[in-house]
Amino acid sequence: DKLDAELPLPTRILLGWTDFIAEQGLLLALGAITTAVTAVAVFGGQAGGKRRRDRLAMRTPVVGDLYHLICVERFCRVLAALTSAGVPLPDGIDMSAKSTNNTIFQDRMLPVREALVRGGGLSKPMTESEMIPTAGLQMIRVGERTGGLAVQLGKSATFFEREVAFKMKRATDLFQPIVIVLVGCLVGFVAIAQVAAMYSVFGQVRP
């Protein structure tokens, strides 16, 4: 200001942003608190909130596919253990679905349990539920035909466990370069804003 020099655009953006945070800090804090309270109200522990939260989680790119596979792996693992222990299949379906802690998965398994109570098979209603991937459905069919359902469910759980580990590693490998690029851009912008300011001011006041 004393030298009557004009700062470059990156520096003006940086200063404007920091001034905005300093002047509107209280407003930003209130907005963050309001957003958090609203999120808790919408996606809280109530049945409707949990269902909305599960639906949102399963529709989120990358994360949704991983979350779905984790539920499938847990469902197959628990059902295999219950079937081996002699628990009736309809009850096993109900308890295994609850073990996923996913309301969407539980809702889709209700028709499967009802079909079993009526005396139907397992593979057809499982296919109609659209919650078990093709590989798992094929193993369930083999288990029904051979009488080794518990064994095939255990193999399905192991298969999906490997799928979860693979997809988790791939998701981590995907996010790492994105984070590095974002941090690099932020640091680079701050550095450019500072260095450009010095060179610009020196150039403007040079006799």
Side-chain angles (χ1 to χ4, degrees):
D1 291 337
K2 292 181 180 179
L3 297 173
D4 195 25
E6 182 181 359
L7 292 173
L9 180 61
T11 309
R12 296 200 304 271
I13 293 174
L14 180 62
L15 291 176
W17 177 245
T18 54
D19 289 342
F20 173 76
I21 293 178
E23 295 172 0
Q24 306 295 333
L26 180 60
L27 183 61
L28 293 174
L30 290 175
I33 294 174
T34 302
T35 302
V37 171
T38 304
V40 170
V42 175
F43 302 104
Q46 301 296 329
K50 192 173 188 311
R51 184 168 280 102
R52 286 190 291 267
R53 185 177 65 216
D54 292 339
R55 186 179 296 110
L56 177 63
M58 296 190 72
R59 290 180 178 177
T60 303
V62 182
V63 176
D65 189 22
L66 183 61
Y67 182 40
H68 181 201
L69 284 178
I70 291 173
C71 293
V72 173
E73 185 272 332
R74 186 177 301 171
F75 174 82
C76 291
R77 183 80 63 191
V78 174
L79 186 58
L82 293 175
T83 304
S84 299
V87 176
L89 199 52
D91 295 335
I93 292 290
D94 185 42
M95 289 185 282
S96 301
K98 290 179 180 178
S99 72
T100 64
N101 197 29
N102 185 321
T103 56
I104 306 301
F105 203 100
Q106 294 171 19
D107 292 343
R108 294 292 185 89
M109 288 298 118
L110 285 177
V112 178
R113 184 181 186 281
E114 293 173 356
L116 290 171
V117 171
R118 292 195 299 267
L122 179 62
S123 59
K124 183 178 179 180
M126 277 288 192
T127 303
E128 294 173 351
S129 72
E130 299 180 347
M131 294 302 293
I132 307 298
T134 304
L137 292 173
Q138 291 175 348
M139 292 182 185
I140 289 174
R141 292 191 189 99
V142 172
E144 277 190 308
R145 293 172 183 172
T146 61
L149 183 59
V151 175
Q152 293 301 321
L153 285 171
K155 291 181 179 179
S156 299
T158 302
F159 173 79
F160 290 123
E161 184 179 14
R162 294 173 181 170
E163 282 289 302
V164 168
F166 171 75
K167 287 184 178 293
M168 191 171 294
K169 184 179 183 302
R170 190 172 65 176
T172 304
D173 294 340
L174 176 65
F175 283 120
Q176 281 180 346
I178 295 176
V179 172
I180 292 173
V181 169
L182 290 177
V183 172
C185 290
L186 179 61
V187 174
F189 174 77
V190 174
I192 291 173
Q194 293 179 345
V195 175
M198 291 186 290
Y199 278 101
S200 176
V201 172
F202 292 156
Q204 293 179 54
V205 299
R206 182 182 303 168

